[in-house]
Each structure stands twice: as structure tokens, then as C-alpha cells.
Amino acid sequence: MQSLIVPNPVGGEMMVRIEHIHKTFNPGSVNERPVFADFGLTICKGEFVSVIGSNGSGKTTLLNLLCGTVPQDAGTVEVAGRNVDRQRDHQRAAFIGRVFQDPAKGTCANLTILENMALADNKGRAYGLRPGVNGRRMNAYRAALEPLGLGLENQLHLTVGSLSGGQRQALALLLCTMTPIDLLILDEHTAALDPRSSETVMELTDRVVREKKLTTLMVTHNLRYAMSYGDRLVMMHQGRAVLDVTGSGRDAYAVEDLVRMFGEISIEMGN
């Protein structure tokens, strides 16, 4: 297949720096699976990067390396100038927000909307012998929920488990951005939703990212979303970026071009 690598000069303050990453799952076994060999990626502060790629291309592993749920075999991961190689996932959660594909993973189903928001509001603070919910924050929570356009601001005492998938995912996005974060990770966060809910969550995502000026890395299988949202597009294949475009370079591509590239990759792999 013809090389698809496009030069992408990076300028401005760096938020994410991933260098010389190596990762192999189950090394030395019959199930050995190499994913990354000397992989690198940089993301500037305020960039909204959409990542696409075939199954097994390394998209989810990339997110897990950043969040600390999977350790690299070699290489360096930096976020906001700090080396996070030795930090566990719960430590990185202080400055990295993640919205998962499964809406149930970003919220506590047995707690109310109010209780979920109170937990998110107190992230990083010390807990003592005091009420977990501060009644004086009720109006602030309602004000935060109102822009979602889902009517949740009037249903604070509903348990989150009774909400629809789209409502839970919108709430999960709100919860992980209530406190300041350096990086927002979107892990196929619309894949489990119906088309209408997907559109609502993506519109909300774009608004939250723009208003809060969040550095964002979104993995998606939806090529239209990859082209419509964000300001940089990366296509992964076999642990490397085969396409990395921004600005006018990104605008030169259409969804049909991406479909053709996926077809070329499939042929190269013998499918």
C-alpha cells in the first residue's frame, strides 16, 4: 500500500508527549501480540484529536497507556510536562478524564444524579466526617445540568441507573469535566448509543471541549464524527499512525477517502 503518512508540524505548548513506546501482550507465549514498536505521538494544548483505525491497530491500547490501565514495556508517557510512567491509573485520574464506551462505567448506578455530581465535585479533596452532599451546591448542579437539554436539572433525586444510555453518557461527560483536567479521553463514547443519542452526546462533547478549551483525544469508529469534530485526524494501522492531518490538510479529506484507505489496508492484510 502507498504510504499515507502526512507531515504534521506541531507548534504551541505540548500537553501529551509519547516517545519510543514498545508494547507486546503475552510475550513469549503462543498468544504473543505485538502492538507498538517505537511508537510516538505528541498533542498540543487545546487540540481535539480524532483517532480512527481498524481493529487491533492500537487505538484502545494507546488510551490505556495514557490512563495507566496498561503499562508500556519501554518508552515514556508525559502529560502536561509530568512523567506519568510510575503513576497508577487512580493517580492519573486526578488530571485525566475518561468517558468509556459503556455508559455504566462513568457513573454510579445505585446513587442519585445529585450524589454522583457531589462525588465528582469533590474529586481530589480529602473526605472527613461531614455530609457527602453539600446542599448549598444544588443550584450549581442544576445550572451545570441545564445546558444538556435533557431535563435532568429537575430530576436530581433520580437514581442514575434509571436513566437511558444517552442520558447516562451525557452525565458521565459532565462528571469527568466538573473539576479541572489536563486531558479528556473519549473511548468510543457514542458506540453503544442509538443514532439520536449519539448525535446529542457528540454535540454536547463539542460544546464542552470548546467552552472549557480541553485537550481531547477521541477514539471513534464513526468516520463522519471523526471528520466533523476535532481539529486533527489520526488513522492507526498495525501500531503506527498512517495518517496524521490537521487544518487544511484534514479538510482535504472526505469520508469516502477514509473508506478507500480502510479498503487499501484490508487488501494489504490479505482480506
Side-chain angles (χ1 to χ4, degrees), residues 10-260:
V10 177
E13 183 180 348
M14 201 69 65
M15 181 58 73
V16 174
R17 187 189 301 274
I18 299 173
E19 293 183 328
H20 307 300
I21 292 295
H22 293 259
K23 182 61 186 179
T24 298
F25 289 99
N26 307 310
S29 74
V30 295
N31 296 317
E32 180 173 301
R33 182 169 67 87
V35 180
F36 291 126
D38 201 26
F39 175 76
L41 178 71
T42 56
I43 302 174
C44 285
K45 184 177 181 180
E47 269 194 306
F48 185 164
V49 183
S50 297
V51 180
I52 58 175
S54 55
N55 290 333
S57 61
K59 305 185 304 298
T60 300
T61 301
L62 170 61
L63 301 189
N64 288 335
L65 288 171
L66 274 167
C67 293
T69 51
V70 169
Q72 66 266 30
D73 299 330
T76 300
V77 178
E78 293 183 2
V79 179
R82 61 171 77 85
N83 187 311
V84 298
D85 292 345
R86 297 182 181 276
Q87 290 187 331
R88 304 291 296 274
D89 51 355
H90 70 275
Q91 294 172 306
R92 301 188 200 192
F95 50 89
I96 298 177
R98 185 171 185 173
V99 184
F100 294 87
Q101 177 177 335
D102 183 356
K105 288 188 175 181
T107 53
C108 299
N110 295 327
L111 300 182
T112 65
I113 295 174
L114 174 61
E115 290 166 337
N116 271 267
M117 295 189 75
L119 282 174
D121 199 17
N122 286 286
K123 185 176 77 170
R125 299 179 185 176
Y127 284 87
L129 295 176
R130 64 177 186 272
V133 177
N134 183 348
R136 290 176 293 181
R137 294 285 292 157
M138 296 275 283
N139 288 335
Y141 296 157
R142 291 192 180 98
L145 288 165
E146 189 172 3
L148 303 185
L150 301 173
L152 299 181
E153 66 274 12
N154 300 316
Q155 304 179 71
L156 287 176
H157 294 287
L158 275 183
T159 56
V160 170
S162 66
L163 303 180
S164 68
Q167 289 174 319
R168 287 187 72 167
Q169 203 66 314
L171 180 61
L173 177 63
L174 176 62
L175 294 179
C176 81
T177 58
M178 280 184 67
T179 55
I181 54 175
D182 294 321
L183 177 65
L184 174 63
I185 297 287
L186 304 173
D187 187 359
E188 298 186 42
H189 70 311
T190 64
L193 306 180
D194 62 76
R196 183 175 180 179
S197 296
S198 295
E199 295 291 338
T200 299
V201 169
M202 276 309 310
E203 291 170 4
L204 171 64
T205 298
D206 189 59
R207 186 166 74 244
V208 169
V209 168
R210 299 303 172 192
E211 289 177 355
K212 299 191 175 186
K213 297 180 174 59
L214 296 173
T215 306
T216 304
L217 184 63
M218 176 179 75
V219 165
T220 179
H221 281 297
N222 190 309
L223 299 184
R224 182 171 63 83
Y225 289 165
M227 294 298 298
S228 300
Y229 297 95
D231 37 46
R232 180 177 170 192
L233 175 66
V234 174
M235 178 185 284
M236 302 283 296
H237 175 54
Q238 293 184 338
R240 61 191 180 97
V242 294
L243 180 71
D244 187 350
V245 287
T246 187
S248 59
R250 176 178 175 271
D251 296 339
Y253 287 84
V255 171
E256 293 75 16
D257 298 319
L258 301 182
V259 172
R260 186 183 69 254

Side-chain angles (χ1 to χ4, degrees), residues 264-271:
E264 292 175 2
I265 289 172
S266 181
I267 291 171
E268 182 187 66
M269 295 177 67
N271 296 330

